[in-house]
Each structure stands twice: as structure tokens, then as C-alpha cells.
Amino acid sequence: MAMLEFIPQLGRRTLQSIPGLGAASRFLLTSLLSVFNRHFSFQQLFRQIYGFGVRSLILMVVAAFFTGMVLGFQGYYALVRFGATSALGTLVALSLLRELGPVLTALLFAGRAGSALTAEISSMKATEQLSAMEMMAVNPLAWVVAPRLWAGIISVPILCAIFDLVGIFGGYLISVPVLGVDGGTFWAQMQSNVTFSGDILTGLFKALCFGVVVTWIAAWKGYTARPTAEGVGNATTLSVVTASLTVLGLDFILTALLFS
Amino acid sequence: MAAEALVELENVCFARGSHPVLAGVDMRIPRGAIVALMGASGGGKTTMLNLMAGTLRPQSGQIRIAGQNLQKFSGDAMYALRRQMGMLFQHSALFTDLTAFENVAFPLRRHFRLPENVLRKLVMMKLEAVGLRGAAGLFPAELSGGMGRRIALARAVIMDPMLIFYDEPFTGLDPISVGIIASLIKRLNTALGATSVLVSHDVEETFSIADYGFILAGGKIIAEGTPAELRNSDSALARQFLGGQPDGPVPFHYPARQDYAAALRDSHAAGEVI
Amino acid sequence: METRAIDWWVGIFVLLGIAALVVLALRVGNLSGFAYDSGYVLHADFTNVGSLKTRSPVKIGGVTVGEVTHIGMNPKTYMANVTMRIEPSIKLPIDTGASIYTQGLLGEQYIAIQPGGMPQNLKPGATITMTQGAVNIDQMIGQMVFSKAAGSSKSSGSQ
């Protein structure tokens, strides 16, 4: 009986979410295209890249360094049993370039910048700042939302490239000086198994997709938040949760599409 | 009401979902006047401001500003028209990351490329008009509620609009600030040759500056006229609102399923507490 | 923060990203292949290339002197046709042999070149004829188990 009620409910929920998705897509496209609007400002864009990208750098570098070191350790103990430690460089590099780099960058970005973005836009809405802009004949999508979306989309791949590099360096530091893997083999194996377009660029393409998704969700949740203190709080939490889950789900789809 | 009308509403209906907010409103706002729009909270006053500003569109009926039908305006034309409008929001809506000066300068910077010294003069002129030239460098968080609203007022009139909307300009202010805002509204309206629409439920302050008033209830205009005419209105609803009586045509009790006495009797019989 | 300072930081940030990408490309992805771009091409036909792939190293005495650029199939002989690029300074005699070996038990496969002793050298585009394909570990284990089983049955039969 409960099952019978559950099925139509699921259907109804799904149907209800379709117009929401449509509205969110229109929001994304209108905002992205408003770079051509006269109220779009590159100064604002730079300000946001500074806020999202530059100020996330230290977080990313620290996280990448530890991730790389852990990969080095775990990889070593898994491979040493088969006498295959020569493949450690490949293992560290491929794990980071294909999966851990893009996914961890996106998750950290959702927590660090995505939440701040949702909180900022939703509190601007709650205090009528967006309506005030509208009344002053300034399009809030062009002035507020577009620079933030573009800043996220530009920042995430850059952060991901830095994450990959620092992570591989962390893996090297553990593997070669600490665990005694031969340095030449570490790099040579990595170089002969990593391809530029297949692994490095594909990983960065993933990061780009995640950048779009995370900032899109964050901005949309902020823009549609209920204009109360509670609404701002809810939207911020929901933004991080939704963005993180979407990144993981999308990662599965992209991996299946790009690496098969 | 002989003067030419700047804003005209004709049988305007608006609903949020299935809940009707406005059910056929007719209204004429003469050029140059200060018009008050009054009514109980949640009665659709702010909705009417939004309709006149074009941020909401009515389901049916017509809104004309200076003879032009708002429904025919596309997004861009609407933005162009809004440059001639100003709005003072209930919570001031100042940009928290900008100083008072930059808040007032915001519309100018976005719409014109003015030399910095010209811009400075224009902004300082408006700040002087609201008496806060000295607070130009302060951030909104450092301003009191009344000062914030005066800065927001300076920002609303920086483009010398022909039509100024005030959404609850007196709410949450101390008596001195209320007096200051009221006299500023009057002075700015005269100085700019503008038309002002004032949404408020503060009867005394509103009547002290308004030339004409409308009372909105149940989605319709139930009374209109000069403040003196409204005070002598024969509408029971208008009298209840203006006199601030707790009970009358607008009932004190929110409709309940059952009469309280009957409910008490029933619950006694059932032995429970309601 | 002042606009100029922000512009500086954003500029540095973007440069860092580009630098990271370049280092990844050259150091990790070995995009360059730069050492062998100027090299000359040789072909070799193998019965079995195993898991050899494009960019696998070509070595002489353990020193990398080139890389595999293409692996194809010769439709007439049904042999795997491997194209490789060799450093121009390495001249190989015409009786040179090529084998596919594995680094360690599970390591990657590479082409080992055994230079011959003839005075004439292979010209660019020539084919190495003396080849030995990859050793198929499955097959080898199969043979070992089979011969062991055959041996033990023989010995048990004699008793």
C-alpha cells in the first residue's frame, strides 16, 4: 500500500521539478549571456575572481598537498606487494588528474565559495538590494549574478590545474625521498602513461563542468531563497549539499562518457 | 482632481497563485501631487507599487504612465522608463558593501560616464539636501535607521525622477526621524517637480503631507479623497482604519471553524483542552 | 581592496594556472615528445605486440633512444606493424634486431633494440626484419603447467 502511494508521489515530485529546472536553465543562460549587457562590468568580474579564486588558493594547495601524500603512501603499500612500485608515479598522477583533482577542487569550492555566493545573493534579496537595483534600472543578473557565475567558471579549472600539480608534487615527496622509490622511474612511468589530451585536458574539462554546476546551483539557490533570515540560512546549506551531490553524480556520468 | 493624470490604473487585477490580491482597482494619480495609498497590512499596497514600477505585471486591466500602456513595454523599454522613477524601500535596501556616497552615486555611475568632479558635486548636492553630507564616507552598517533611510532617499532621487515611490517610509523610525522624512518627502516633491506615491499606514504623518489619499481593502479602493474628505468619509471601513478601532468591518478575529463559546462547550463535553 | 591590487592578484592567479598547465603538460604528460620530433622513422613487424602502446619507449641497453609513434596491422602478413621514432644521432646497422620486453613482472612493455655489426646503416623509413614479439605470460604459464603435468604423469607411470 505504501509502495502504491510512493510511486505516484515520486511521479508528481518529478513533474513538479521540471518547471523549476527550466527556470533555472533560463536563469543560467540569461546570466551568462549578459556579458553583452551594458551593465556587465569586468571590474566586478575581476573582483569576484579574486574572491573565489585567489582567496581559495591556500586552501586548495594545502588540500592537494595532503591528498597527494596520502595517495603516495597508500599506492606504495598496495603496489609493493606485487613488486610494482615502479607504477607509483602513474597511479598518483592518473588518480589526481582524472578524478581527485577535479572532484575535490569542486567540492572544496562548493564549501568555500559556493556557500558564500548563495549567502551573499540571498541576503541581497532579503534586504531588497536586488529589487532596488531593478528600480534603478540596473539589471541584477548582469551586475550581480553574471560576474559571479563567470568568476566561478574561470576559477575552478585554474584551481584544478594547481591542485593537480601540487598533489603530484606531494605524491613525489612521499614516494621518492621518503619511501625510496626511484625518482627516474617515478617520472618516466608517469610520463609514458599520462597523455595530455586524454588525461590532463579531460580532467580540466571535468573541472570546468563542475565549475559551471557549482556556481549555477549556488547562484540559483541564492536568487530563489525566501527573503528571510531563515531562508538565507536554508539556502546556504542546501546550496552546498545540492552542489556536492550534483558534482559526484555528474562525475560518474562524465567519467563514463570521457574515459570509456 | 482637475490636473492631468500621470499614473492611471484601470480595472487592475492581480493574484498570487489562487489568492487574489487586487480585484479591479481604478485609480488616477495627478501630476505633481503627493498621493497616499493606505490600507491594512497584507492588503496589496506594496503589490500596487510594484505594478506601477513594472516589476510585476497585472493579470488583467491597464496601467498607464504618462499616457503609455505599461503592458506594451519590453524589458529594455521598461528599464529606460525606470530611470525616470525612484523608489524608497521599506528597509532602505542600501548596498552594504558600498559607502553612503557610493550608494547615492550608484545609479549615476551605472548609467552615465561623468567626470569624477561632476559626479561628486551631484552626489554631495543630494546628500546636503537630506542633511547627511557629513556621513558620505560611512558604510550602511555605521548608520542609524533614520540616517540609512535618508541616504536611501538621496539615492532614490539622484536621477531627478518624475515619479517617486515610497514603501512604508515611516515604519520603524523614531518620531524625530519620522518628522524629518515627512518634511523631506514634501520638500523633494516640490523641488523636483515630481509626483510621489506613498504607501503607509501611519495615518497622521501621511495626512500631514499628502494631497490626496486612497484606502485599499479587500483588493479594491473603498474610499478616496483629500485627507479632510477621507476623515469625514461615510464608509465604516475607512472610519475604522483612520480611527484605529480594533473591531469593525475588518474583524478582530481571524475566522475560526467554530464559535469560541460553542467550541468550549464541545471540548468540556469531550474532556479536553483547546 | 583597491582595484589595482585586485587586478594584480587576478593576473598572478591566471598566470599560475597557465604555468601549472604547462608544467603538467611537459613534466607529467610529456606532451613534448620533443626529444624525438627530429628523429627518424623505423618500422618493425612483430607477431605479437602484447600491451605495447603509442609512446612506449624504445631502448638500447636500457637507455631510451626513441618512442613508438604508431601501431598498425599489416593486412598481407597479419603481423603487427610498429612505427617508431629514433634519435637522429643513433645510427643502427641493417642487421639490427628488435624485441618487446616487459619491465619487471607487471611493468610496462618497451622495445629493446639489439644493434648488429654490419657496416651499412638502416635508412629512415626502413623496416627491422629480425624481431621477437612480446612474451605471452598466459601462454607461458599454460605451457609450464602442461609440461609439469605431463612430466609428473610420466614419472608416476614409470613407478
Side-chain angles (χ1 to χ4, degrees):
Chain A
M1 196 56 201
M3 195 63 188
L4 285 182
E5 282 163 24
F6 172 74
I7 292 170
Q9 177 131 24
L10 186 72
R12 208 173 307 132
R13 283 276 173 87
T14 312
L15 283 180
Q16 277 168 358
S17 69
I18 290 175
L21 190 63
S25 308
R26 200 163 53 110
F27 169 81
L28 177 69
L29 279 183
T30 326
S31 306
L32 290 182
L33 288 179
S34 59
V35 273
F36 304 112
N37 189 295
R38 53 190 296 274
H39 291 304
F40 181 83
S41 139
F42 282 94
Q43 197 187 324
Q44 286 290 312
L45 175 66
F46 274 41
R47 214 164 256 277
Q48 297 308 326
I49 294 181
Y50 177 80
F52 290 172
V54 178
R55 300 193 51 183
S56 307
L57 255 181
I58 292 179
L59 168 73
M60 295 292 171
V61 166
V62 172
F65 195 66
F66 281 109
T67 308
M69 292 202 294
V70 168
L71 266 180
F73 262 124
Q74 292 287 12
Y76 179 80
Y77 290 119
L79 292 174
V80 78
R81 285 199 257 166
F82 308 105
T85 48
S86 61
L88 192 54
T90 312
L91 182 124
V92 169
L94 285 185
S95 314
L96 278 166
L97 292 169
R98 290 182 170 193
E99 288 299 330
L100 293 175
V103 170
L104 288 182
T105 307
L107 293 182
L108 289 171
F109 189 81
R112 165 78 176 67
S115 58
L117 172 56
T118 311
E120 191 186 11
I121 293 186
S122 57
S123 57
M124 283 182 92
K125 187 186 176 190
T127 53
E128 296 180 311
Q129 292 183 45
L130 296 183
S131 314
M133 244 171 238
E134 191 87 28
M135 273 314 296
M136 288 184 266
V138 173
N139 188 341
L141 289 187
W143 177 255
V144 176
V145 178
R148 286 164 175 76
L149 277 175
W150 279 109
I153 293 170
I154 293 168
S155 298
V156 175
I158 295 180
L159 289 172
C160 178
I162 294 169
F163 191 106
D164 288 345
L165 189 65
V166 173
I168 289 171
F169 181 66
Y172 169 82
L173 277 191
I174 282 301
S175 309
V176 179
V178 178
L179 296 171
V181 173
D182 177 55
T185 319
F186 185 88
W187 291 114
Q189 282 268 342
M190 190 189 295
Q191 287 175 359
S192 65
N193 285 297
V194 172
T195 61
F196 181 67
S197 60
D199 298 313
I200 298 175
L201 284 189
T202 325
L204 291 181
F205 175 73
K206 262 188 174 180
L208 180 75
C209 297
F210 295 160
V212 174
V213 163
V214 169
T215 36
W216 177 21
I217 290 175
W220 176 246
K221 292 280 176 212
Y223 201 71
T224 52
R226 272 183 302 114
T228 59
E230 196 201 356
V232 172
N234 279 343
T236 309
T237 313
L238 209 58
S239 150
V240 177
V241 172
T242 316
S244 304
L245 287 179
T246 313
V247 162
L248 293 173
L250 185 66
D251 181 48
F252 173 73
I253 298 172
L254 285 178
T255 305
L257 283 178
L258 297 172
F259 293 108
S260 60
Chain B
M1 292 294 279
E4 171 211 359
L6 181 67
V7 184
E8 288 170 287
L9 277 75
E10 211 172 89
N11 196 26
V12 168
C13 296
F14 185 84
R16 283 188 195 279
S18 59
H19 170 67
V21 181
L22 300 177
V25 170
D26 292 293
M27 211 164 120
R28 279 182 86 250
I29 295 172
R31 204 182 273 272
I34 298 180
V35 171
L37 193 56
M38 288 179 291
S41 307
K45 305 186 301 288
T46 304
T47 306
M48 281 189 61
L49 280 193
N50 283 323
L51 286 167
M52 286 186 254
T55 46
L56 290 177
R57 303 227 162 189
Q59 267 94 26
S60 67
Q62 260 194 14
I63 300 169
R64 283 189 298 276
I65 291 189
Q68 293 164 296
N69 188 350
L70 271 195
Q71 275 89 313
K72 296 222 173 82
F73 277 61
S74 68
D76 285 342
M78 201 66 238
Y79 275 125
L81 182 67
R82 276 199 209 120
R83 289 206 206 175
Q84 297 171 278
M85 298 179 183
M87 189 184 287
L88 178 67
F89 285 86
Q90 190 173 350
H91 303 290
S92 303
L94 291 174
F95 302 128
T96 42
D97 56 336
L98 300 178
T99 59
F101 179 90
E102 285 303 324
N103 261 289
V104 178
F106 183 85
L108 289 179
R109 286 202 196 278
R110 298 281 73 75
H111 294 298
F112 307 111
R113 285 189 196 285
L114 295 175
E116 197 60 31
N117 58 338
V118 176
L119 182 117
R120 201 170 172 78
K121 261 184 210 139
L122 285 172
V123 172
M124 283 308 189
M125 220 160 75
K126 298 290 195 236
L127 282 175
E128 176 68 29
V130 297
L132 290 178
R133 202 164 48 87
L138 298 182
F139 280 92
E142 302 167 298
L143 299 169
S144 73
M147 283 161 82
R149 199 138 328 161
R150 279 148 78 185
I151 297 288
L153 184 53
R155 186 179 67 176
V157 298
I158 187 76
M159 304 271 283
D160 293 341
M162 63 169 182
L163 184 57
I164 313 172
F165 301 112
Y166 298 92
D167 190 1
E168 309 276 9
F170 307 121
T171 314
L173 294 186
D174 60 274
I176 302 174
S177 298
V178 168
I180 292 173
I181 295 281
S183 72
L184 277 174
I185 293 174
K186 184 95 189 161
R187 278 210 335 248
L188 284 170
N189 199 62
T190 323
L192 297 171
T195 307
S196 299
V197 182
L198 194 69
V199 156
S200 175
H201 35 228
D202 190 322
V203 177
E204 286 316 310
E205 283 305 331
T206 309
F207 277 1
S208 72
I209 54 169
D211 302 314
Y212 204 78
F214 294 89
I215 298 178
L216 192 69
K220 282 185 179 297
I221 303 284
I222 53 148
E224 64 176 283
T226 59
E229 285 166 4
L230 280 174
R231 280 188 209 279
N232 301 321
S233 165
D234 46 5
S235 156
L237 199 58
R239 275 209 309 279
Q240 185 200 354
F241 181 76
L242 298 177
Q245 289 137 12
D247 209 349
V250 177
F252 171 73
H253 292 287
Y254 186 84
R257 252 181 314 134
Q258 205 179 7
D259 180 60
Y260 188 57
L264 270 182
R265 260 197 318 279
D266 290 358
S267 69
H268 262 295
E272 57 188 30
V273 183
I274 55 168
Chain C
M1 189 183 255
E2 210 194 320
T3 309
R4 247 189 102 65
I6 286 177
D7 290 353
W8 268 100
W9 275 110
V10 170
I12 292 170
F13 176 63
V14 172
L15 280 181
L16 266 180
I18 294 171
L21 185 64
V22 169
V23 175
L24 281 177
L26 298 183
R27 187 83 183 128
V28 178
N30 195 16
L31 172 72
S32 51
F34 45 85
Y36 313 114
D37 268 357
S38 56
Y40 64 96
V41 170
L42 286 181
H43 301 281
D45 287 344
F46 294 94
T47 47
N48 179 9
V49 290
S51 64
L52 194 77
K53 25 183 214 303
T54 315
R55 306 178 63 83
S56 288
V58 176
K59 300 185 179 189
I60 298 175
V63 180
T64 307
V65 296
E67 64 176 13
V68 173
T69 54
H70 180 75
I71 297 175
M73 164 60 53
N74 186 334
K76 291 200 189 94
T77 58
Y78 302 112
M79 300 265 273
N81 182 270
V82 175
T83 311
M84 54 197 135
R85 241 173 218 290
I86 310 286
E87 262 178 58
S89 58
I90 310 288
K91 303 282 182 239
L92 295 166
I94 51 171
D95 58 342
T96 291
S99 321
I100 297 177
Y101 288 152
T102 308
Q103 263 176 347
L105 189 58
L106 296 166
E108 60 170 336
Q109 294 194 300
Y110 66 96
I111 294 183
I113 302 270
Q114 296 89 31
M118 299 283 279
Q120 301 99 318
N121 285 336
L122 284 166
K123 292 197 174 62
T127 302
I128 298 174
T129 45
M130 288 185 291
T131 61
Q132 188 201 333
V135 176
N136 189 329
I137 292 180
D138 287 355
Q139 222 171 28
M140 222 164 69
I141 292 173
Q143 274 170 358
M144 223 163 71
V145 171
F146 182 74
S147 65
K148 200 82 180 213
S152 63
S153 71
K154 217 177 273 172
S155 59
S156 66
S158 68
Q159 274 184 344

